[in-house]
Amino acid sequence: MRAPCDLFDRMLSLTTELFEPMEHALFFEPLLSQAPVGRVLDIGSGNGAYLARLQERYPNLDCLGVELEPDIHARSAARQRERLAFQLGNYEELADTQTYHLVLARLVVPHLSDRRHLGSWLLPRMQPGGRLVILDADEDDLQHHDGLPLFSELYRRARTGLHRSPLMRLEDALRLELTSAGWTHLGTRRYQIRADRLEAKAQLYMYMRLVTEYTLRSPVPPAHAEELFSWLIDPDSDYNIRMFGMVFAPTQVSDT
């Protein structure tokens, strides 16, 4: 079996390839096209692939990624360059003097036990007009897929135990937690990648194999491999990967 960090590194790179073009068009281009300067913070930056892609699009942005896990953080070292840096540690360890035009939290908030604390910590560190963008998996995506029963169950179990309320959807919990921390919810958008063409299916097939190996901590079992390959070569098969994005701004306090 390949090392877990190698698997996770490739998983993060694949999710960047699959989702970054659409997420850029939906969330970042509207924020950055008119003012492509400022400082960006990526919380949970992983191997740095996603933030590096954003900085390539906007070379005048000063981008900083922060990541807790040493092994996956080490993969970002090769991507460091002028205006693109990565720091190992918790967001609370960042310098108090820095402020940010854009804060990104992608595929990380379910792993945070106290998201209200994150919101409170960020508030005094936002530049005027700054935005917090949260991107994560839509919980509808955890439903069973008839053509991929083994993978569906594996993925559902992989998401079990994350910090999600049993009483409300993740996006509803985020709205409640962050508004109570002093943020205004500007909107939520749901979007999806439909893997029904060969190129997208091939990328997703590789991603599902990586997820299977990473989750089981063993080579892909024959039954799982057969299921995934049968899905790949079936001309009628597809898969919808559903996501949601939320945009928040610091709540403006009236002087009156």
Side-chain angles (χ1 to χ4, degrees):
M1 173 188 166
R2 290 170 287 184
C5 188
D6 292 337
L7 297 170
F8 192 46
D9 180 35
R10 185 58 185 141
M11 286 162 58
L12 292 176
S13 295
L14 274 172
T15 62
T16 296
E17 294 170 21
L18 283 166
F19 283 104
E20 189 277 338
M22 181 177 291
E23 290 170 346
H24 171 255
L26 290 176
F27 300 102
F28 303 118
E29 188 173 27
L31 292 174
L32 297 172
S33 60
Q34 300 303 316
V37 295
R39 187 174 289 112
V40 176
L41 173 63
D42 183 1
I43 296 175
S45 53
N47 67 356
Y50 198 91
L51 188 60
R53 185 73 60 86
L54 184 66
Q55 207 273 337
E56 287 172 3
R57 290 185 182 275
Y58 303 99
N60 291 324
L61 289 179
D62 290 308
C63 296
L64 172 64
V66 60
E67 171 58 46
L68 265 176
E69 297 297 330
D71 289 343
I72 198 63
H73 164 75
R75 305 303 174 96
S76 64
R79 294 185 167 93
Q80 289 202 137
R81 56 179 180 263
E82 185 178 2
R83 296 183 180 271
L84 176 64
F86 299 96
Q87 180 171 320
L88 175 65
N90 192 290
Y91 63 84
E92 295 175 281
E93 300 169 14
L94 297 174
D96 286 338
T97 56
Q98 298 292 347
T99 57
Y100 305 97
H101 176 64
L102 171 65
V103 176
L104 167 64
R106 181 177 180 270
L107 300 175
V108 70
V109 291
H111 301 271
L112 301 178
S113 59
D114 191 348
R115 295 181 289 258
R116 190 180 187 281
H117 177 271
L118 170 65
S120 299
W121 184 89
L122 283 174
L123 270 182
R125 295 167 174 83
M126 299 302 294
Q127 296 175 7
R131 297 290 185 265
L132 167 62
V133 177
I134 296 174
L135 307 175
D136 220 287
D138 193 315
E139 292 182 346
D140 288 342
D141 195 39
L142 304 182
Q143 294 178 359
H144 182 80
H145 187 289
D146 289 341
L148 296 165
L150 294 176
F151 180 79
S152 296
E153 177 60 18
L154 184 78
Y155 187 68
R156 186 194 64 78
R157 286 194 286 114
R159 298 280 294 183
T160 300
L162 299 182
H163 295 284
R164 295 163 53 206
S165 169
L167 302 177
M168 63 180 71
R169 297 181 305 174
L170 175 59
E171 56 263 44
D172 295 329
L174 287 169
R175 188 182 302 109
L176 179 64
E177 292 160 354
L178 290 174
T179 53
S180 68
W183 292 81
T184 295
H185 175 232
L186 299 182
T188 297
R189 292 196 68 167
R190 288 177 175 78
Y191 56 102
Q192 67 179 17
I193 292 292
R194 182 177 176 84
D196 58 353
R197 297 177 180 272
L198 184 57
E199 181 179 359
K201 287 180 67 175
Q203 288 180 308
L204 185 56
Y205 167 77
M206 182 56 64
Y207 177 76
M208 291 190 289
R209 285 190 61 97
L210 291 166
V211 169
T212 301
E213 189 174 349
Y214 181 82
T215 304
L216 296 178
R217 294 296 197 269
S218 69
V220 178
H224 289 72
E226 181 179 355
E227 175 185 279
L228 294 175
F229 187 69
S230 295
W231 171 85
L232 174 65
I233 64 174
D234 181 356
D236 297 323
S237 68
D238 61 10
Y239 197 105
N240 293 326
I241 313 171
R242 299 180 179 91
M243 301 282 289
F244 71 88
M246 305 181 75
V247 181
F248 293 87
T251 299
Q252 300 298 313
V253 180
S254 174
D255 294 331
T256 59

